[in-house]
Amino acid sequence: MKTYLNHIGTFATTGILTTALFIGCQSTEYPDPQPATGASTNQARFLFVNAAPGAPALNFLVENNQAGQSVAYGQNSTGYTAAQAGTIQLRARAASGNIGGVLGSNDILFRAGATNQNNFAAAANTNYTVFVTDTLNRPRPATSGGTNLGGPQFLVVTDNLTAPSAGNVGVRFFHLAPDAPAVSVRLQPQATGQTTPTFLNRAYRAISTGSGTTAVNFASFTQVPAGTYTVQVFTGATIPATANPALSQSVTLEAGKLYTLYARGLVRGTGGNTLGLGQIIHN
Amino acid sequence: MSKKLPRFRAAFLLLGSMLVVMLGSSGAWAQGVTTSSISGLVTDANGEGLPGATVVAVHTPSGTRYGTTTNTSGRFNLPAVRIGGPYRITVSYVGYQEQVREIVSAELNTPVAADFRLAEEGRQLTEVVVTSQRGGVIDSERTGVATNFKRENFERLPTISRSFTDFSTLTPQAGPGFSFGGRSNLYNNFSIDGSTSNNVFGLSALPGGAAGTPISVDAIDQLNVSISPFDVSQGSFTGAGVNAVTRSGTNEFQGSVYGFYRNQNFVGRNVEGQRQEQLNFNFYNVGGRLGGPIIKNKLFFFVNVEQERQADPAVLFPVGGTNSQGQPFQQTAARADLERLSTFLQNTGTNKPWTFDPGSLGTFDQLTQNFKFLAKINWNINDQHKLVVRYNQLNAFRDTPPSNSGGFTSAPPGGRQNNNNAIPFQYSWYRQNNNLQSIIAELNSTFGNKFANNLQVGYTAFRDFRQAGGGAETPNFPLVDIVGPNGNTLTSFGAEAFTPNNRLDQDVIQVNDRFDIFLGKHTVSLGTANEFYKFYNAFTPQIRGVYQYNSVDDFINNVTSPSAANAPTQYALQYSAVPGTPVPTAEFSAAQLGFYAQDNINLTRTFRLTAGIRLDVPTYDDSKLLRNVVTDTMRFAGGEQIRVNQLPRTNYLWSPRIGFNWDVLGNRSLQIRGGTGIFTGRVPFVWLSNQVSNNGVFFGTVLRQGQANNANFPFNPDPAAYVPQLTGEPGVPLAPTFTINATTPNFKFPQVWRTSFGVDKTLPGGWIATFDAVYSKDINAVFIRDANLAEPVGTLAGDGRPIWGNASGTAGVNPPFDRRINDRIVQALVLDNVNRGYSLSMTAQIQKRFARGLEGSLAYTFTDSKDVNAQSASTAGSLYTGQAIVTSPNQPNLSYSNNLIPHRVVGFIQYRMEYLNFLATTVSLTYQGQTRGNYSYVYGGNPNNEGISNNDMIYVPRNQNEVILVTTNAADTRTTQQIWDQLNAFIEQDPYLSKRRGQYAERNGAYLPWQHLVNLRLLQDVFTNVGGKRNTIQLSVDVQNLLNLLNSNWGLAQSAARTNLLNFVGYETPNTNTAATTGRPIYSFAEQSQNVALSNPFINNLTLASRWQLQLGLRYIFN
């Protein structure tokens, strides 16, 4: 009898404990995720330009992936490099040795700063031209708590690569000569009877002016007839009636193409760093 | 409200009349939770019950007599006998030989069974059956799950903190932080001698906060941890009921004087071979106890006094200090500025008629101190009536550095607390005081052999308040934060932002009565358990204003010649918006009335059934609450209206319970026991108080950011200088945006349906094996929702979870997209019930308790506990935002509980040996093996945009396509591929994440590694007998984490390396003001350090948790 009851006890215990385990426990309740089935298609594209007088040849990286190798001063990377859209890092590194100057062995980083989280946000399906501007010895700004290290820095503009209408080209202009005052630019057509496009009052590194309805985006391409032009760069807010341009250079603009022209170099520059006109063909 | 007050009164009247009825009927006896009981059967030689036999039990140390006669079936009951022993029981009956039996002790809540078989006069009983036994594991009144600790455990088991929680944690079902069975530690009921000693307000699980427990272990006689008592007289918890019963005086004077000490030389320095810095500290605990007779056999006293103090250095980064690379701290570099500031504040000058003493910048002792006193009187009025009165008090405080919080605005950069950039002046510290006084009287009465009564009346006053650092008066001066040259806060002085007026008074009155009727096989109990609470809570953050300056110079110049250039960069003030009330307080009262009836039936000699029902009636008085005319007119989610001036309606919570105990073989070698029923607890009252103070009308705010906005508002030493003119109506003008807290009108206290089943079996050699299973299902669990949170506006691409719109912060902008339903309301947090959640724990235990010498226990417990809200925070905000979620914070997912320890092994062994007639040695070891806790893998930031950071559980990607990763910062040199490779490797080696690929991580789904914690106590006694009393000198050594002492690789505690595994940095396409993003979220996976991948989910905890600690003690005992 006692053994019998003993067995009952054992069975009851085992049974109840097992039942408790199975009916008692529930799974956690989480919905099924809907993960992405492929890589992101939201991409941005980048073209890099070395416009920093005195800078060595640079390697450009987007999220530390190669986007342009050994781009010398006045040159740009070959074509656009696609990269993930969103909050990403842009980097320029000396192709060999150090960048030097204020940065020393540091790289040029977008909004440089060791812990800066507010990196550049690239919009999806958008093309960017990224310039490296400024001299190697641009001093570090005195702003308290600022993350700008001084030396060369990035300038990013958005590119609308819509092809110009037949027989036309798209042109835009940026002022990237660090020690020059604001400039005004005239494209003097070498053929007769054509319009004379101008880009007035362009401050150093300015990419737009005005705001609201009067805003002018310097990154927009202006359509002009294809042809050969003399690009005349004057200092000042307007094209002077009589004055020699600070810079004058002939360019041939082919129909259907998009051009960025930029003033580079230094007013007091010598050798390769004298004032010059940079040219980028986007398509 | 007008409807509720009469209800409150009606409940009072009902209780009152019931008490009158019970006291008026010349009652009976009772078994309270402070006592034990003795019961049994008296038979003749043939086994026939002997009615009318006289039974007298004497508690021999105190001469306390308990007498009764057997009933018609020969049974007797001595309820409510003093715990301890020995007892001498005498049974006599005319014509039969008197029989005397001695039993060793009667233990708390575990009755003694003593059966007697009497022989007729002149005849020799052929067989003497001794079936009495001391209460223990196997006894007929044990139905649910409970663990008892007795005086020898307190005297012999290791405790370095000298806290009873060191013992309660040896309960197999115990979890972290005084929690049990995976449930929140705020759901326990802790009582001393039956009087509620919980922090019922619930800012911490136990009163005394960080500064100490309310009672000395030297004053405790027995401690009982009940998880599932099916006796309906026990209530007010859905976690565990923990009851400490204090020592009582006896006929012999007994006492002890003791002291314990440790300092920085008594702790280990090595964790896995790594040497750690150890700051100097010292700790002592000294005290004494004395018990004895006032009138022998009649009136006894017991007193205990104890003082405990720990001193730590307050300043770890002094002015003049340097870091490990030899670079000076910011405060070292700015020494001259700080000295100039101190001088400037303390002296008058041009345009500065006032002076202010900010306190010192030098180091001082950061004290944690408490004083405990307990006095108890036991009065044996006569054989029928025994009265116990106990008083205890705690005065505890702890010095605390100023809070780093910015309150309603941004925090000071780098924080105010002493670090390598900042050093606050001494008087901007604060001292948190936690005082309590408690008195309880208990009257146990018997009336014939039919009735018993137990009456408990108690009053406890909790007084928590703050002072300035070192115990000074909080200065009537604003708080000033000054930023140093490197952009981090350099120093702070003035009144700590959260200290002025900070005060919590709690008054708890208890009236309990239990009336037992003994009817043959039935014991019927009727009773009432009532608690009346009164709360007064003042919390006025930033009421004296907080200024922030860019430099010491700016502050000084702003005082002497204010200008825009030296203006404060920020000024924040919270002021009382209630006219005529400079300090708005949350004042309310509540009561929990309980009534019960129970029948305890001995169905057969071996089967006992307990069936009872309890009614709990929580009721609230909200007559002092203020209306909010603005929110009264608002409509929240689903059209809900919220009245911040209304507390929940009175409701009726029924708790039927049934329990059984079956002595299967009739010889107490195999016992099956269990039961099922409902347990009703209470919520920490702070959850209700949150509503009283966060009603939107108490405070208005002034916030001026930027020097330009402060140009015309220079520093003013008068905290009230910038309080705006009030309109005369409470809360008008309201702050532009604010949060309200509320409770649903039909909110119910938590209830669980708890079922337990246990088996105890004696094994050869005196061992007892026990199996216990407890299952609790939440009937009314608590969760909190934001009634002002709009519906999600879309689904997060590449993930699937809902996402919300931005908060516009201004009225009327894109209402369909705004995540706030009412733009002025930041959150409308409503306390509500949910019926999901459960916990299951199963324990296997073996134990052996010899009469002398050796005693040991080893238990393994499996626990599973899931809930939808951890319910373990005090503020509504933390309760709401503290849940890691995947879907909506208003529809939390069922997941693992915060306190869940799935597997736990706990054991102890103690051995005492006396030798040479003057020496005794005691060795005891405890072992606890368990995970250090669980945690959730969440995203840093707020990818679902519902307004709460760091609460969104990660999706564990299967491949690189499923997650968009970018660099962590500008310095990060990893390519996208390298980042993924590091993340993939981390997931692969993580024991949790590797099994969770393709799914969301679960709340508390990941576990820390096990820690094996062995503690040791060694006692060496030298004793001598003088005048019949033993005098003992006892040396003690307590070692915590003995394994680490033996080998620095052992006893290791580890923490999670990073729970915010991935950091949300943005979407592929941003949110606009009219539409949710359609882009996928982008994350960063940071390295452990530059160029070092995060590759291990766990890091060594280098604090004392991983290191051995030792404490020496010296004690003199006489008894």
Side-chain angles (χ1 to χ4, degrees):
Chain A
M1 176 64 183
K2 283 191 172 180
T3 318
Y4 171 68
L5 284 173
N6 238 333
H7 285 155
I8 287 191
T10 312
F11 281 122
T13 311
T14 316
I16 290 176
L17 291 181
T18 315
T19 314
L21 193 56
F22 281 101
I23 63 163
C25 296
Q26 293 173 32
S27 300
T28 54
E29 290 173 1
Y30 288 100
D32 290 330
Q34 298 158 27
T37 50
S40 170
T41 53
N42 284 316
Q43 297 215 306
R45 302 198 311 145
F46 296 91
L47 186 71
F48 288 92
V49 184
N50 182 348
L58 297 172
N59 289 344
F60 289 96
L61 303 104
V62 180
E63 286 291 298
N64 297 310
N65 300 313
Q66 282 292 352
Q69 278 193 286
S70 207
V71 180
Y73 167 63
Q75 304 297 309
N76 55 272
S77 57
T78 315
Y80 283 82
T81 303
Q84 172 64 43
T87 311
I88 57 171
Q89 183 203 80
L90 304 179
R91 181 189 293 270
R93 175 181 290 162
S96 64
N98 293 333
I99 290 176
V102 175
L103 285 177
S105 59
N106 290 318
D107 296 339
I108 304 163
L109 294 164
F110 197 81
R111 282 195 60 188
T115 57
N116 172 29
Q117 287 284 329
N118 298 318
N119 290 347
F120 170 62
N125 306 314
T126 304
N127 302 293
Y128 294 95
T129 298
V130 181
F131 298 94
V132 172
T133 68
D134 289 287
T135 62
L136 295 179
N137 295 315
R138 179 178 65 95
R140 180 177 188 147
T143 320
S144 169
T147 55
N148 193 323
L149 293 176
Q153 59 182 333
F154 285 124
L155 177 70
V156 181
V157 297
T158 308
D159 306 338
N160 179 354
L161 298 185
T162 310
S165 50
N168 281 351
V169 300
V171 189
R172 62 181 181 179
F173 176 84
F174 297 107
H175 173 7
L176 302 180
D179 61 349
V183 298
S184 296
V185 179
R186 177 166 62 196
L187 299 192
Q188 188 69 53
Q190 294 186 357
T192 53
Q194 284 190 1
T195 55
T196 307
T198 56
F199 304 98
L200 301 181
N201 197 18
R202 296 296 168 90
Y204 176 62
R205 274 174 61 91
I207 56 172
S208 67
T209 182
S211 61
T213 50
T214 63
V216 177
N217 183 1
F218 298 163
S220 302
F221 291 95
T222 304
Q223 292 209 15
V224 302
T228 304
Y229 293 83
T230 304
V231 181
Q232 299 172 320
V233 180
F234 302 90
T235 57
T238 54
I239 308 284
T242 55
N244 288 328
L247 180 64
S248 177
Q249 190 172 325
S250 169
V251 294
T252 300
L253 307 177
E254 286 179 40
K257 297 276 186 194
L258 295 167
Y259 295 88
T260 297
L261 304 176
Y262 61 95
R264 59 174 162 83
L266 297 167
V267 175
R268 289 177 291 276
T270 56
N273 294 337
T274 51
L275 277 185
L277 187 71
Q279 174 183 316
I280 305 159
I281 304 172
H282 293 271
N283 55 350
Chain B
M1 175 54 227
S2 51
K3 280 183 185 168
K4 276 185 194 158
L5 198 56
R7 264 193 209 141
F8 197 75
R9 287 186 185 133
F12 245 106
L13 283 176
L14 178 65
L15 166 78
S17 50
M18 189 161 170
L19 270 179
V20 168
V21 169
M22 302 195 81
L23 295 173
S25 66
S26 59
W29 15 286
Q31 187 197 319
V33 285
T34 63
T35 52
S36 186
S37 68
I38 302 170
S39 60
L41 181 64
V42 179
T43 57
D44 63 14
N46 301 323
E48 292 294 317
L50 285 176
T54 302
V55 181
V56 174
V58 178
H59 178 252
T60 49
S62 65
T64 306
R65 281 167 57 92
Y66 302 89
T68 187
T69 54
T70 55
N71 66 17
T72 48
S73 54
R75 289 190 172 277
F76 72 92
N77 285 285
L78 294 167
V81 302
R82 270 176 75 148
I83 53 173
Y87 273 89
R88 173 178 285 263
I89 307 173
T90 309
V91 178
S92 56
Y93 192 63
V94 177
Y96 288 79
Q97 293 172 4
E98 185 179 271
Q99 202 175 108
V100 180
R101 177 101 37 85
E102 187 135 308
I103 55 174
V104 178
S105 85
E107 284 167 26
L108 182 61
N109 244 356
T110 51
V112 175
D115 292 352
F116 292 82
R117 181 182 280 194
L118 301 188
E120 285 177 50
E121 296 275 14
R123 286 183 59 180
Q124 198 65 36
L125 200 62
T126 49
E127 181 197 7
V128 178
V129 182
V130 179
T131 55
S132 69
Q133 88 172 50
R134 55 197 279 243
V137 174
I138 299 191
D139 82 72
S140 64
E141 291 211 0
R142 187 162 136 106
T143 52
V145 177
T147 306
N148 254 21
F149 299 93
K150 51 190 195 298
R151 194 187 290 185
E152 296 84 79
N153 301 134
F154 295 112
E155 288 171 351
R156 295 177 188 173
L157 291 177
T159 172
I160 203 159
S161 65
R162 299 259 312 141
S163 161
F164 67 87
T165 54
D166 281 352
F167 305 97
S168 64
T169 194
L170 300 177
T171 304
Q173 295 83 7
F178 199 59
S179 69
F180 298 91
R183 293 187 65 81
S184 167
N185 62 8
L186 297 175
Y187 285 156
N188 299 326
N189 189 30
F190 173 64
S191 54
I192 301 172
D193 295 325
S195 74
T196 297
S197 302
N198 259 25
N199 190 338
V200 288
F201 198 72
L203 295 182
S204 57
L206 290 166
T213 52
I215 185 170
S216 163
V217 290
D218 254 70
I220 303 178
D221 196 342
Q222 299 200 6
L223 181 77
N224 175 265
V225 179
S226 286
I227 311 276
S228 58
F230 292 104
D231 178 346
V232 291
S233 68
Q234 300 200 33
S236 290
F237 63 87
T238 58
V242 180
N243 186 26
V245 178
T246 55
R247 293 188 187 227
S248 298
T250 63
N251 278 335
E252 299 295 322
F253 282 98
Q254 295 179 325
S256 178
V257 184
Y258 51 87
F260 298 90
Y261 181 79
R262 67 175 188 269
N263 67 20
Q264 68 281 354
N265 297 317
F266 292 37
V267 301
R269 305 288 169 109
N270 292 318
V271 177
E272 266 201 332
Q274 255 186 296
R275 191 166 171 83
Q276 307 303 319
E277 285 298 312
Q278 177 58 52
L279 297 160
N280 293 356
F281 72 94
N282 67 72
F283 168 92
Y284 72 76
N285 175 306
V286 293
R289 62 175 156 83
L290 181 66
I294 300 170
I295 303 169
K296 280 213 167 183
N297 297 333
K298 190 81 175 170
L299 193 59
F300 311 92
F301 75 95
F302 174 82
V303 289
N304 169 248
V305 184
E306 188 175 292
Q307 164 106 10
E308 187 176 287
R309 180 183 187 269
Q310 172 147 352
D312 296 292
V315 176
L316 307 182
F317 301 88
V319 175
T322 58
N323 69 11
S324 53
Q325 281 91 49
Q327 293 161 326
F329 300 142
Q330 177 169 247
Q331 54 268 40
T332 303
R335 180 200 293 264
D337 273 352
L338 289 170
E339 283 167 1
R340 199 153 46 89
L341 174 65
S342 179
T343 310
F344 176 76
L345 287 170
Q346 296 179 66
N347 296 286
T348 56
T350 316
N351 292 333
K352 181 177 174 289
W354 52 270
T355 61
F356 175 68
D357 179 8
S360 156
L361 283 174
T363 193
F364 54 95
D365 279 344
Q366 177 186 357
L367 296 179
T368 305
Q369 189 168 319
N370 66 66
F371 169 78
K372 296 165 188 151
F373 174 74
L374 181 139
K376 187 177 185 183
I377 297 283
N378 289 58
W379 180 21
N380 298 335
I381 302 169
N382 53 37
D383 284 3
Q384 284 75 44
H385 302 286
K386 314 276 191 284
L387 179 70
V388 182
V389 180
R390 190 266 299 144
Y391 168 83
N392 75 306
Q393 89 175 54
L394 168 75
N395 294 72
F397 68 80
R398 180 182 174 87
D399 288 329
T400 311
S403 166
N404 285 332
S405 165
F408 69 91
T409 180
S410 53
R416 300 183 180 102
Q417 295 175 7
N418 186 218
N419 58 35
N420 56 9
N421 292 310
I423 185 163
F425 283 86
Q426 182 182 2
Y427 295 156
S428 63
W429 282 54
Y430 67 91
R431 174 169 286 186
Q432 176 68 52
N433 292 272
N434 300 93
N435 295 348
L436 85 83
Q437 290 177 286
S438 172
I439 187 161
I440 187 158
E442 179 174 0
L443 177 66
N444 281 299
S445 309
T446 59
F447 305 92
N449 66 358
K450 273 265 176 13
F451 308 107
N453 193 69
N454 169 276
L455 173 67
Q456 291 177 329
V457 180
Y459 168 68
T460 307
F462 300 85
R463 297 290 179 266
D464 298 344
F465 59 97
R466 285 188 183 187
Q467 295 168 301
E473 190 69 23
T474 308
N476 189 28
F477 195 84
L479 180 65
V480 181
D481 297 319
I482 295 182
V483 172
N486 71 11
N488 287 302
T489 302
L490 169 67
T491 189
S492 304
F493 57 91
E496 201 274 337
F498 304 89
T499 294
N501 309 315
N502 190 328
R503 180 172 167 178
L504 170 63
D505 292 354
Q506 305 175 59
D507 293 275
V508 183
I509 295 172
Q510 269 178 287
V511 181
N512 301 337
D513 195 87
R514 170 168 166 152
F515 183 65
D516 293 331
I517 308 161
F518 301 97
L519 300 165
K521 289 180 170 180
H522 297 265
T523 303
V524 174
S525 307
L526 300 171
T528 178
N530 308 282
E531 296 187 357
F532 303 91
Y533 315 101
K534 207 173 101 192
F535 300 102
Y536 172 99
N537 185 20
F539 180 55
T540 57
Q542 291 153 293
I543 199 156
R544 295 193 180 160
V546 183
Y547 293 85
Q548 184 175 308
Y549 285 92
N550 262 339
S551 67
V552 170
D553 279 338
D554 274 6
F555 170 74
I556 292 174
N557 295 334
N558 193 240
V559 171
T560 53
S561 58
S563 75
N566 56 33
T569 51
Q570 178 170 288
Y571 175 69
L573 170 75
Q574 184 157 276
Y575 58 88
S576 166
V578 186
T581 308
V583 181
T585 54
E587 268 181 275
F588 70 106
S589 53
Q592 186 165 4
L593 311 179
F595 310 96
Y596 55 86
Q598 175 169 283
D599 190 5
N600 208 326
I601 317 159
N602 287 303
L603 279 180
T604 70
R605 281 189 63 165
T606 59
F607 196 91
R608 189 176 171 108
L609 192 70
T610 308
I613 187 158
R614 179 183 173 113
L615 170 65
D616 283 286
V617 189
T619 177
Y620 316 88
D621 176 5
D622 52 14
S623 57
K624 289 184 177 165
L625 273 59
L626 294 178
R627 277 185 70 190
N628 185 324
V629 292
V630 174
T631 56
D632 276 0
T633 62
M634 288 179 174
R635 291 288 186 282
F636 294 89
E640 183 177 6
Q641 285 184 277
I642 294 175
R643 299 276 181 268
V644 292
N645 61 329
Q646 291 180 5
L647 289 172
R649 287 192 283 264
T650 298
N651 48 46
Y652 300 90
L653 301 165
W654 295 94
S655 308
R657 290 180 215 161
I658 186 165
F660 72 92
N661 178 291
W662 182 25
D663 178 7
V664 180
L665 306 176
N667 64 359
R668 294 175 167 270
S669 68
L670 174 64
Q671 166 179 279
I672 297 179
R673 58 194 159 70
T676 187
I678 292 171
F679 290 75
T680 304
R682 57 181 167 226
V683 295
F685 279 95
V686 62
W687 294 358
L688 300 170
S689 172
N690 285 332
Q691 163 175 0
V692 185
S693 42
N694 294 294
N695 53 11
V697 301
F698 269 10
F699 298 106
T701 55
V702 173
L703 178 62
R704 290 191 288 263
Q705 290 182 301
Q707 286 187 306
N709 293 323
N710 282 295
N712 298 320
F713 302 96
F715 178 79
N716 192 316
D718 175 10
Y722 295 126
V723 174
Q725 191 72 37
L726 299 182
T727 60
E729 193 180 337
V732 179
L734 287 181
T737 60
F738 54 93
T739 288
I740 56 169
N741 294 172
T743 315
T744 51
N746 51 2
F747 177 75
K748 293 185 182 66
F749 271 9
Q751 283 191 301
V752 294
W753 175 27
R754 183 164 287 172
T755 304
S756 83
F757 175 80
V759 179
D760 305 294
K761 174 109 179 65
T762 55
L763 300 173
W767 293 94
I768 299 172
T770 295
F771 293 94
D772 265 313
V774 196
Y775 180 73
S776 305
K777 168 92 185 73
D778 278 297
I779 299 172
N780 297 319
V782 177
F783 92 111
I784 195 157
R785 56 186 167 80
D786 178 8
N788 200 44
L789 182 69
E791 289 296 306
V793 290
T795 299
L796 189 57
D799 184 289
R801 77 186 75 203
I803 54 171
W804 277 263
N806 293 331
S808 69
T810 52
V813 175
N814 304 310
F817 188 67
D818 193 336
R819 70 165 176 256
R820 290 182 191 164
I821 293 172
N822 296 287
D823 285 315
R824 287 187 69 182
I825 306 298
V826 179
Q827 287 169 334
L829 300 178
V830 181
L831 206 58
D832 207 339
N833 293 117
V834 64
N835 62 1
R836 286 152 66 216
Y838 70 89
S839 71
L840 168 72
S841 80
M842 295 195 292
T843 300
Q845 182 173 20
I846 52 166
Q847 51 192 308
K848 183 165 181 171
R849 298 194 174 188
F850 296 95
R852 70 178 89 83
L854 183 67
E855 171 167 352
S857 157
L858 185 68
Y860 163 76
T861 301
F862 164 83
T863 306
D864 179 30
S865 179
K866 296 196 179 79
D867 54 34
V868 297
N869 186 303
Q871 304 158 76
S872 50
S874 59
T875 67
S878 316
L879 277 171
Y880 176 64
T881 61
Q883 305 303 303
I885 57 154
V886 167
T887 51
S888 166
N890 285 345
Q891 290 153 0
N893 308 92
L894 185 74
S895 195
Y896 303 101
S897 304
N898 279 10
N899 292 318
L900 175 59
I901 300 290
H903 306 282
R904 181 169 198 256
V905 177
V906 58
F908 73 90
I909 187 160
Q910 62 183 45
Y911 181 66
R912 178 179 162 87
M913 188 174 63
E914 288 193 9
Y915 48 97
L916 300 177
N917 286 325
F918 73 101
L919 294 175
T921 303
T922 307
V923 184
S924 71
L925 287 165
T926 61
Y927 168 76
Q928 295 174 65
Q930 65 193 66
T931 166
R932 287 278 299 173
N934 52 16
Y935 62 97
S936 315
Y937 276 117
V938 295
Y939 294 119
N942 185 18
N944 71 355
N945 203 38
E946 98 284 49
I948 309 168
S949 285
N950 309 335
N951 76 327
D952 299 324
M953 241 104 59
I954 64 165
Y955 168 75
V956 188
R958 288 170 294 195
N959 55 58
Q960 193 173 356
N961 283 341
E962 292 184 347
V963 60
I964 298 177
L965 292 168
V966 296
T967 46
T968 307
N969 53 40
D972 195 338
T973 56
R974 294 172 298 167
T975 64
T976 313
Q977 185 66 44
Q978 285 168 336
I979 300 170
W980 163 252
D981 289 345
Q982 287 185 2
L983 175 62
N984 194 39
F986 184 89
I987 293 171
E988 204 52 40
Q989 59 75 48
D990 184 282
Y992 175 72
L993 294 176
S994 56
K995 294 193 195 70
R996 203 67 200 168
R997 285 201 197 247
Q999 293 169 287
Y1000 297 114
E1002 300 152 299
R1003 172 164 56 92
N1004 293 329
Y1007 290 91
L1008 296 172
W1010 271 43
Q1011 182 184 23
H1012 303 279
L1013 187 65
V1014 174
N1015 299 337
L1016 166 77
R1017 175 165 242 213
L1018 273 174
L1019 299 171
Q1020 180 60 52
D1021 294 8
V1022 182
F1023 57 83
T1024 177
N1025 291 335
V1026 180
K1029 284 195 183 297
R1030 175 177 281 194
N1031 292 262
T1032 308
I1033 297 283
Q1034 184 179 70
L1035 280 165
S1036 68
V1037 181
D1038 287 274
V1039 181
Q1040 181 161 299
N1041 205 344
L1042 178 69
L1043 295 179
N1044 175 260
L1045 179 63
L1046 301 176
N1047 183 328
S1048 79
N1049 296 331
W1050 297 348
L1052 185 65
Q1054 292 188 297
S1055 316
R1058 189 190 300 156
T1059 57
N1060 293 5
L1061 189 67
L1062 296 171
N1063 204 43
F1064 172 68
V1065 293
Y1067 304 111
E1068 287 183 309
T1069 58
N1071 268 330
T1072 68
N1073 279 336
T1074 50
T1077 178
T1078 54
R1080 291 169 57 183
I1082 300 171
Y1083 302 105
S1084 64
F1085 176 61
E1087 292 170 299
Q1088 185 168 297
S1089 57
Q1090 183 85 37
N1091 300 323
V1092 179
L1094 181 74
S1095 58
N1096 190 331
F1098 309 116
I1099 51 170
N1100 287 348
N1101 183 332
L1102 302 174
T1103 68
L1104 292 179
S1106 287
R1107 289 144 63 181
W1108 61 265
Q1109 297 181 73
L1110 183 148
Q1111 183 161 293
L1112 295 181
L1114 181 64
R1115 178 188 282 275
Y1116 166 68
I1117 310 162
F1118 70 97
N1119 52 9

